[in-house]
Amino acid sequence: MNTNELSATARALVAPGRGILAADESGGTIKKRFDSIGVESSEDNRRAYRDLLFTTEGASAFISGVILYDETIRQSSLDGVPFPQLLTSQGIIPGIKVDTGAKLLAMTDGETVTEGLDGLRDRLAEYHTLGARFAKWRATYSITDVLPSQLCFDANAHALARYAALCQEAGIVPIVEPEVLMEGNHTIERSRVVSTSALEALYRELYEQRVFLPGTLLKPNMVLSGYESKTQASDDEVARLSIETFLHSVPAAVPGIVFLSGGQTDEQATARLDAMNKLVPHPWQLSFSYGRALQAPALKAWKGEPANVSAAKAAFLHRAKLNGAARNGSYTPEMEAVGA
Ligand code: 13P
């Protein structure tokens, strides 16, 4: 295992002012996104949409890496350049989603465990030859009054650690993503307790399975009030409780925490990252690995029309720039006005 290379890649992904674009929507998820703008999810349309994002001039100032899906890492731009090569030529590191989804966990009340370990060593070797230098594996946990169960935390942590160790052997930085879902009417305090349990189980397994922490990144949820809760915590409260949670359970050896947006609005995802970066000191880089919060305005502007491509690129660049500002706590809501 080349530990120097792994930690250099992990640090490059959380370089100051930059963060990750999650463009690894599975076939089902991208169809949902395209349905929302009335566009058919054909291979050509998916390629045209990803081309638009990856050829946005100036985005590389704010985007350090892009997470791709299996189909996308094998596709080429409209100009015929393989996507991983196109990204690398702009100083953007290609990444790949390698889990195969959350499946029902036996003997539980509808909880899930994320699968994808079978054959993973060979798949990682192939992705490395295709240019991937980091990967993502997402586990999910739903909050009810009594769930998640410890079994769900442990089963997912075990799989995440096995994935992480295999990635590092293959020269690929694993992003470990234990996502506590925010659907529900739970309080932010309950969200903190559940997030803490998920992180504790995760780091226990990462230590047990000898994963090299400086060559990893953590992709967690922010600690939020349940989306249906009547009491919604303020951005400052979200920032304070999130940082408290991570200080309690994420080792300082981890170079960066790259948040998912998880259904927050674009502005909330940016403002809360900004608020966290204003709270110093903390031992990690605090960055973004957003899917929806980076792409939503671009998708809406595009609508599948070639004539809208430049407006869509401008919308994507704008969000990337604002999140770049949130990386060092210099975002202000006034910057939301286009052209600011
Ligand atoms: P969202 O930012 O849309 O939650 O997606 C990030 C991601 O990659 C989830 O796995």
Side-chain angles (χ1 to χ4, degrees):
M1 181 171 72
N2 187 336
T3 52
N4 288 339
E5 194 180 286
L6 288 169
S7 48
T9 302
R11 284 197 311 270
L13 286 166
V14 290
R18 299 170 88 203
I20 296 170
L21 165 67
D24 60 322
E25 296 84 359
S26 62
T29 304
I30 196 71
K31 182 178 180 315
K32 248 195 276 172
R33 304 277 183 268
F34 279 15
D35 283 350
S36 74
I37 53 162
V39 171
E40 187 205 345
S41 180
S42 63
E43 186 179 345
D44 280 351
N45 284 341
R46 292 192 293 270
R47 175 173 169 230
Y49 175 61
R50 266 71 182 247
D51 182 273
L52 165 180
L53 296 173
F54 305 163
T55 58
T56 295
E57 253 176 64
S60 63
F62 314 109
I63 302 295
S64 56
V66 174
I67 316 176
L68 304 167
Y69 187 57
D70 182 76
E71 175 186 84
T72 324
I73 200 170
R74 301 171 193 283
Q75 285 174 323
S76 294
S77 70
L78 301 179
D79 287 345
V81 185
F83 279 142
Q85 205 176 305
L86 174 75
L87 294 169
T88 306
S89 70
Q90 300 172 71
I92 298 175
I93 305 172
I96 181 77
K97 168 196 174 74
V98 300
D99 69 71
T100 56
K103 307 286 159 57
L104 283 178
L105 176 59
M107 305 295 176
T108 67
D109 185 11
E111 294 186 284
T112 62
V113 63
T114 297
E115 296 189 351
L117 290 169
D118 288 356
L120 183 56
R121 177 177 272 120
D122 294 341
R123 288 165 57 219
L124 288 167
E126 190 200 4
Y127 287 139
H128 192 277
T129 65
L130 290 170
R133 292 296 177 271
F134 74 103
K136 176 188 113 172
W137 179 290
R138 171 177 179 250
T140 57
Y141 317 87
S142 292
I143 299 185
T144 71
D145 289 346
V146 291
L147 300 176
S149 65
Q150 191 60 45
L151 170 60
C152 179
F153 291 133
D154 291 345
N156 277 295
H158 189 264
L160 275 160
R162 285 201 51 204
Y163 140 81
L166 284 163
C167 281
Q168 292 193 327
E169 276 193 8
I172 288 179
V173 167
I175 295 187
V176 289
E177 181 176 4
E179 177 176 5
V180 179
L181 300 167
M182 291 299 148
E183 279 71 26
N185 59 9
H186 53 271
T187 61
I188 189 167
E189 180 55 26
R190 175 115 179 91
S191 169
R192 186 184 66 76
V193 169
V194 172
S195 300
T196 300
S197 300
L199 291 167
E200 285 179 352
L202 174 60
Y203 283 99
R204 214 159 32 233
E205 280 295 336
L206 291 174
Y207 283 125
E208 285 286 330
Q209 297 191 40
R210 308 176 184 179
V211 172
F212 172 64
L213 293 184
T216 65
L217 292 173
L218 173 67
K219 176 164 175 165
N221 52 284
M222 293 182 195
V223 175
L224 306 176
S225 314
Y227 290 146
E228 287 88 47
S229 169
K230 284 196 199 82
T231 319
Q232 289 294 317
S234 67
D235 293 350
D236 285 343
E237 213 175 335
V238 165
R240 191 176 51 77
L241 268 171
S242 296
I243 296 294
E244 254 177 48
T245 304
F246 304 127
L247 283 173
H248 177 85
S249 37
V250 181
V254 174
I257 298 182
V258 295
F259 294 96
L260 57 95
S261 60
Q264 303 175 72
T265 66
D266 316 333
E267 289 84 356
Q268 283 172 336
T270 307
R272 290 164 176 174
L273 176 63
D274 184 74
M276 279 189 259
N277 273 310
K278 283 190 168 101
L279 287 180
V280 282
H282 40 70
W284 334 267
Q285 289 289 319
L286 298 179
S287 186
F288 56 89
S289 174
Y290 293 159
R292 283 162 287 181
L294 271 172
Q295 294 184 49
L299 194 63
K300 237 193 262 165
W302 177 54
K303 295 196 189 70
E305 297 292 336
N308 295 336
V309 163
S310 56
K313 285 182 181 215
F316 170 56
L317 183 61
H318 188 57
R319 278 289 19 112
K321 186 175 156 190
L322 298 191
N323 284 301
R327 285 282 284 106
N328 60 19
S330 66
Y331 163 82
T332 60
E334 292 70 42
M335 293 163 76
E336 289 292 341
V338 179

